[in-house]
């Protein structure tokens, strides 16, 4: 069967400010395609999606959408203008179907008045065309689909007149997903759609993606999702500023990534070895004369030969210096280090139960008249990782806030170890958006009483912060880059207990795995909440389910 092309991008170049993110990129999406766009944080995934859906213009190249096909876009963050309501979001998302119905009504009126000899055939043909398009998208079924999707995604409680500014960011994204599903557009483009979905919501999304006839392009860091929808992987190659297509599972893609990482590490080792070899040779004493004694009493010939030897030695030394200059001019970067967190203590204190950091006994939480949690029991010790799972609204974040408080008086039922120091990673980025990355990090380094130069070097070695980004405004960073900045600041502080809310949200595959390795090595205790199926299956030592 011949695939029907719905999107064609040719020789695209995408810039961010003065930086070239992508150059000469081409991408095709056909009806029924499921393509996962992946790449490191800040590599240009969101920028590319915005170009493809027409929100911004490419620096070069062109994007073509097939015929009358409509594009439905779910951004990473849904705007909440002060005067915009839930009804406005729904109306905008279904405007394509509404336009079809409006045109059908106008054509119906024109049919009655059309001159059979002049325009009747053309009007009838257009009516049939629009009618078929509307039927293909089951336009009359949109209200029912919307109601079903809102219930499945937990946003059916939102009245149409509610201002979007009073709706949480996660609920706005889930509402946009529901509208996108109900519109039945021919091309669906989504940016990190599972970031605000619980397990049930992710299952619903997968069922929709694998059954739709539309072309689907989704930018994601969700490793489970890629395999669940059987997606082809479009990976952004930052070095080449291009896209590489990969057919296979995430596991196969991961193995390829590991091989490339091993090659990068070997190139670095070879580079370091060569630099050290040449440097050492330049520091060794060099014999510039010759050992042969003057046997024939020809002093002139003897000295001439010695001069040639001296000149040859100088030439070799200069050649080595030039070679060293070339190597230093094009350095091979050191492989990024694991994301490490510092335990505050060195060895376990003496005494029974001394490793226990926090314990919940018959713990209950209420919000207003609603009981979120009742009778919750758990214990977190050193080198243990408790993950809290459950549907949206079950109280995961509220429990984490209680644990992060370290306050037994405010939260009876929680018992904390004495003098417990807690490090917290919130679900939503809470960074000062004023100033540059360097400004923010310098303030945090001073706050933590750190040597600024040493602290910066630590971050650069982990690549949580890239040197070129130090002068960028914090507000210009992508969601993933701001997440890395949060982790960077958290990694500076020695703590006993880490409290992490959705720690892998927006992180690239590489950083998610390096974070997970760091968490496994952490000597303290960890309490986290996550919907990341891959994370849940591979990282925590225990899981409790709420709701």
């Amino acid at each position: 069967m011949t695939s029907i092309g719905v999107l064609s991008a040719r020789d695209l170049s995408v810039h961010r400010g003065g930086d070239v993110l992508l150059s000469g990129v081409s991408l095709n999406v056909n009806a029924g395609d499921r393509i996962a766009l992946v790449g490191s944080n800040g590599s240009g995934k969101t920028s590319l999606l915005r170009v493809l859906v027409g929100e911004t213009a490419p620096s070069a190249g062109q994007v073509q959408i097939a015929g009358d096909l409509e594009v439905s876009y779910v951004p990473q963050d849904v705007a909440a203008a002060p005067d915009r309501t839930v009804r406005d979001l729904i109306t905008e998302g279904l405007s394509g179907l509404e336009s079809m119905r409006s045109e059908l009504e106008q054509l119906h009126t024109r049919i009655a008045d059309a001159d059979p000899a002049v325009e009747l055939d053309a009007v009838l043909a257009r009516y049939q065309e629009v009618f078929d398009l509307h039927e293909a998208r089951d336009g009359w079924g949109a209200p029912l689909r919307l109601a079903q999707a809102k219930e499945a995604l937990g946003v059916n409680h939102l009245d149409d007149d509610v201002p979007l500014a009073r709706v949480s960011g996660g609920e706005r994204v889930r509402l946009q997903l529901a509208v996108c599903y109900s519109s039945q557009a021919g091309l669906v483009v989504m940016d990190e759609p599972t970031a605000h979905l619980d397990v049930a919501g992710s299952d619903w999304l997968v069922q929709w993606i694998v059954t739709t006839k539309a072309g689907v392009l989704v930018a994601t860091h969700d490793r489970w999702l890629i395999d669940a929808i059987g997606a082809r992987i479009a990976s952004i190659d930052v070095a080449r500023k291009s896209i590489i297509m990969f057919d296979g599972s995430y596991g196969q893609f991961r193995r390829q990534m590991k091989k490339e990482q091993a090659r990068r590490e070997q190139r670095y080792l070879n580079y370091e070895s060569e630099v050290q070899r040449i440097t050492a040779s330049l520091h060794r004493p060099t014999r510039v004369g010759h050992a042969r004694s003057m046997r024939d009493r020809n002093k002139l010939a003897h000295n001439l030969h010695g001069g040639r030897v001296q000149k040859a030695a100088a030439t070799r030394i200069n050649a080595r210096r030039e070679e060293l200059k070339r190597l230093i001019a094009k350095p091979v970067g050191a492989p990024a280090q694991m994301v490490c967190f510092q335990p505050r203590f060195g060895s376990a204190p003496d005494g029974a139960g001394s490793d226990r950091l926090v314990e919940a006994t018959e713990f209950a939480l209420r919000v207003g008249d609603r009981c979120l949690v009742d009778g919750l029991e758990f214990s977190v010790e050193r080198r243990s990782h408790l993950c809290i799972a459950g549907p949206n609204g079950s109280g995961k974040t509220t429990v984490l806030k209680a644990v992060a408080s370290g306050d037994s008086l405010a939260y009876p039922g929680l018992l904390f170890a004495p003098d417990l120091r807690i490090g917290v990673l919130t679900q939503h980025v809470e960074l000062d958006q004023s100033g540059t990355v360097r400004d923010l990090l310098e303030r945090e380094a001073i706050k933590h009483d750190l040597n600024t130069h040493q602290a910066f070097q630590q971050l650069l070695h982990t690549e949580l912060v890239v040197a070129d980004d130090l002068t960028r405004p914090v507000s210009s960073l992508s969601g993933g880059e701001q997440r890395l900045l949060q982790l960077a600041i958290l990694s500076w502080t020695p703590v006993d207990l880490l409290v992490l809310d959705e720690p892998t949200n927006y992180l690239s595959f590489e950083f998610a795995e390096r974070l997970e390795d760091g968490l496994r090595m952490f000597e303290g205790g960890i309490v986290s909440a996550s919907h990341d199926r891959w994370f849940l299956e591979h990282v925590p030592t225990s899981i409790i389910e709420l709701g």
Side-chain angles (χ1 to χ4, degrees), residues 58-88:
S59 304
Q62 60 180 357
V63 179
Q64 291 183 329
I65 305 293
D68 291 325
L69 183 134
E70 184 177 345
V71 181
S72 191
Y73 177 45
V74 181
Q76 195 173 122
D77 298 301
V78 177
D83 58 346
R84 197 167 177 233
T85 65
V86 168
R87 178 182 286 106
D88 293 330

Side-chain angles (χ1 to χ4, degrees), residues 410-430:
Y411 296 98
L414 289 181
L415 182 63
F416 297 92
D419 192 29
L420 187 69
R421 185 173 294 180
I422 302 172
V424 180
L425 182 74
T426 57
Q427 180 178 359
H428 303 292
V429 175
E430 296 177 357

